[in-house]
Amino acid sequence: MNIAPPSQEHPHGLYDSAIFSTHAKSDWPSSGLNGHVVVQLRIVFRMLGTDEFLTYVQCFNVTPPTLGHTTDINAAGLHALKCATRINGDRIGDVLPVSYLRSPVHLVLHFGKNANSHLTKHTSHKLSNEFWLNHYWNKQIYYSLSNDT
């Protein structure tokens, strides 16, 4: 998992996405996304005097594929993700124990009708708010999320 602050090479930082359990006892992967959240990791830290590592994450709202629709994306069975935001546009975050991490995930940009002309490999996650959860990325994710619909 990569978590790196802004630098010359990565002007907006480098932050991987993952599936986290919302509680200590998790039945991942058999439960799919039930009881789990998709997040972007922002920082890992440890409170002084403890051995537990925590991570600050920014959350995504997840919409499962719609059954019965014939659009290409629904046929592919991909979950839609939108950055969870407050009314003022700030991203919603949370602090979770690193031990709740269940799996890294791969996100694919959702361009819509028009792609932002400022998108680059360094700005794509910073300037985009909508993504697809690529469940074809690995076998564990595929089987977990295929049963989730």
Side-chain angles (χ1 to χ4, degrees), residues 16-63:
D16 281 348
S17 298
I19 293 175
F20 270 75
S21 173
T22 56
H23 47 79
K25 295 194 181 223
S26 166
D27 52 355
W28 174 263
S30 64
S31 64
L33 288 178
N34 295 323
H36 298 86
V37 291
V38 179
V39 299
Q40 184 183 56
L41 286 76
R42 302 298 290 186
I43 190 168
V44 173
F45 60 96
R46 185 180 69 151
M47 301 294 286
L48 291 175
T50 70
D51 291 333
E52 183 175 41
F53 283 89
L54 303 170
T55 183
Y56 173 74
V57 299
Q58 291 180 333
C59 304
F60 292 100
N61 293 321
V62 180
T63 304

Side-chain angles (χ1 to χ4, degrees), residues 19 31 33 36 44 56 68 70 74 108 118 124-125 127-128 147:
I19 293 175
S31 64
L33 288 178
H36 298 86
V44 173
Y56 173 74
T70 57
N74 284 322
V108 178
H118 296 99
S124 59
H125 281 261
L127 298 177
S128 300
N147 297 327

Side-chain angles (χ1 to χ4, degrees), residues 107-125:
L107 304 184
V108 178
L109 289 175
H110 176 217
F111 293 108
K113 292 184 180 189
N114 297 313
N116 184 329
S117 62
H118 296 99
L119 291 178
T120 69
K121 69 179 182 177
H122 299 295
T123 63
S124 59
H125 281 261

Side-chain angles (χ1 to χ4, degrees), residues 76-89:
L78 299 180
H79 291 69
L81 303 177
K82 282 190 176 183
C83 295
T85 58
R86 291 186 171 75
I87 223 156
N88 66 359

